[in-house]
């Protein structure tokens, strides 16, 4: 499909080498990796290789990787299973987590767990003093995303993990958006649990992983067979896992080039809009953020109108998390930053990726500039 795709935080197009790996797995690695015969062992070899590739991306041991059906399942397992074994206390999380975390927290509250939602500052960063104050009360777990999907803002997870661990809490981070875009090391971060999703890093949808630090014994969420060390029963999604492994291998080798490319194009896009179109402003932190993400407010406009205008011209952008796009509510992330309803409704998320070019950015800027002018003129008529 032609068009200019500037929505890489929603999903990415699978890399050709990923597709190749998945097809090869379907053709030659279709055995059940739990079978002891040759067909099973060939599948097991593919599974082991993918596990090692995913582990390498985050500095983990392969035995610490549990394959899941995606980031949502990894978040659910981290919080539900984590709270089942954590010391007594509340679960600390932030107001701008993905719904896979916030809705799981709501479910945990109905089960009698305490949840404390930490606010963020006007640039989307959790205040360390607030974390320290919250840790004065008994904390069972801390779950903080590494990078926010709407803003790209990075949280000081390493520092917060250090403080939380000193209080005996289990630490989880949702690294779904960060993985593949910035270097990650679970030991440096000091986390016990970390969620990943393949489709955000040029892998397939419906597959992800949870890093579970060695020595942390979690109960299963899905019960059944002995797969994934009994932590996640069910015959493995082999083509998905093979593709995920390949995507992680590519992300490692191309991280610097991808990140430089994204930053250059993102900055070009952002600068052109902020300097060329009046009444625009950046949402989120200008520096502490992913290299590919820019969330911009267009004063006096309803971003949905702008998005539709751009879509008609073949340019795909978003209002924020894909899972909120149907609710027509303003982004809860922007409201948490203290933006008004109108400001939140006037904001668009641009997330660039590997295949974008400078020409595409120039074309996108021209389309946005013309659409903003048209929409503003219509308002004043
Ligand atoms: C930060 C974050 N966490 C979790 C998820 C959910 O991942 P998945 O789509 O693999 O379930 C997403 C997807 O948008 C995300 O951005």
């Amino acid at each position: 499909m032609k068009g200019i795709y500037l929505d890489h935080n929603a999903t990415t197009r699978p890399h050709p080498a990923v597709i190749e790996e998945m097809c090869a797995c379907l053709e030659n690695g279709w055995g059940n990796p739990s079978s002891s015969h040759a067909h099973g062992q060939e599948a097991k070899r593919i599974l082991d290789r993918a596990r090692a590739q995913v582990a390498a991306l985050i500095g983990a041991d392969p035995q610490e990787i549990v394959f899941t059906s995606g980031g949502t399942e990894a978040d659910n397992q981290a919080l539900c299973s984590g709270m089942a074994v954590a010391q007594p206390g509340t679960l600390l999380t932030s107001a701008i987590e993905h719904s896979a975390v916030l809705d799981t927290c709501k479910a945990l509250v109905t089960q009698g767990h305490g949840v404390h939602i930490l606010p963020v500052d006007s640039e989307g960063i959790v205040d360390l003093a607030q974390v320290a104050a919250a840790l004065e009360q008994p904390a069972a777990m801390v779950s903080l995303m590494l990078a926010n999907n709407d803003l790209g803002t990075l949280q000081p997870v390493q520092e917060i993990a250090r403080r939380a661990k000193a209080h005996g809490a289990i630490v989880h981070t949702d690294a779904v958006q960060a993985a593949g875009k910035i270097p990650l090391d679970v030991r440096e971060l000091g986390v016990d649990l970390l969620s990943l999703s393949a489709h955000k890093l040029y892998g397939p949808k419906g597959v992800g992983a949870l890093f579970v630090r060695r020595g942390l014994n979690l109960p299963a969420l899905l019960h059944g067979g002995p797969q994934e060390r009994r932590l996640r029963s069910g015959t493995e999604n082999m083509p998905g896992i093979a593709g995920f492994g390949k995507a992680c291998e590519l992300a490692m080798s191309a991280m610097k080039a991808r990140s430089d490319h994204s930053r250059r194009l993102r900055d070009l896009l952002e600068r052109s809009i902020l300097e060329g179109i009046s009444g625009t402003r950046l949402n989120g932190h200008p520096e502490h953020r992913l290299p590919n993400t820019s969330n911009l407010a267009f004063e006096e406009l309803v971003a949905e109108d702008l998005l539709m205008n751009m879509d008609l011209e073949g340019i795909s952008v978003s209002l924020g998390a894909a899972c909120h796009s149907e609710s027509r509510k303003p982004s809860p992330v922007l409201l948490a930053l203290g933006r008004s309803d109108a400001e939140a409704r006037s904001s668009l998320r641009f997330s660039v990726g590997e295949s974008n070019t400078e020409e595409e950015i120039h074309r996108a800027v021209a389309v946005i500039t013309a659409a903003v002018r048209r929409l503003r003129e219509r308002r004043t008529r």
Side-chain angles (χ1 to χ4, degrees), residues 32 100 138 174 190 209 249 260 319 348 359:
N32 187 327
D174 176 333
E249 184 189 271
D260 289 350
L319 299 175
L348 278 185
E359 291 69 44

Side-chain angles (χ1 to χ4, degrees), residues 9-11 69-75 97-101 145 147-150 174-178 195-200 205-208 321-323 349:
N9 286 10
T11 198
S69 66
T72 300
E73 186 187 319
D75 284 344
E97 299 296 312
H98 190 269
S99 51
V101 165
M145 68 201 321
N148 180 266
N149 38 300
D150 283 358
D174 176 333
V176 164
Q177 290 292 343
S195 305
L196 297 169
S197 175
H199 74 100
K200 309 288 185 181
K205 285 163 223 0
V207 59
C323 25
R349 176 184 75 184

Side-chain angles (χ1 to χ4, degrees), residues 80-148:
C80 296
S81 301
M83 285 302 277
V85 296
Q87 65 187 15
T90 54
L91 192 166
L92 304 184
T93 190
S94 86
I96 62 166
E97 299 296 312
H98 190 269
S99 51
V101 165
L102 288 177
D103 284 4
T104 305
C105 286
K106 283 187 199 152
L108 285 165
V109 168
T110 66
Q111 292 162 24
H113 292 286
V115 173
H116 180 127
I117 311 261
L118 296 157
V120 291
D121 66 17
S122 61
E123 290 176 324
I125 298 191
V126 167
D127 179 7
L128 286 175
Q130 299 258 7
V131 177
L135 284 171
E136 294 297 319
Q137 303 298 318
M141 271 189 90
V142 174
S143 176
L144 275 184
M145 68 201 321
L146 211 46
N148 180 266

Side-chain angles (χ1 to χ4, degrees), residues 45-87:
R45 200 184 53 73
I46 295 171
L47 183 61
D48 289 346
R49 188 181 56 204
R51 200 183 299 285
Q53 288 165 321
V54 174
L57 182 69
I58 57 169
D61 289 340
Q63 295 72 25
E64 295 174 307
I65 300 298
V66 177
F67 286 114
T68 65
S69 66
T72 300
E73 186 187 319
D75 284 344
N76 272 261
Q77 168 128 43
L79 300 195
C80 296
S81 301
M83 285 302 277
V85 296
Q87 65 187 15

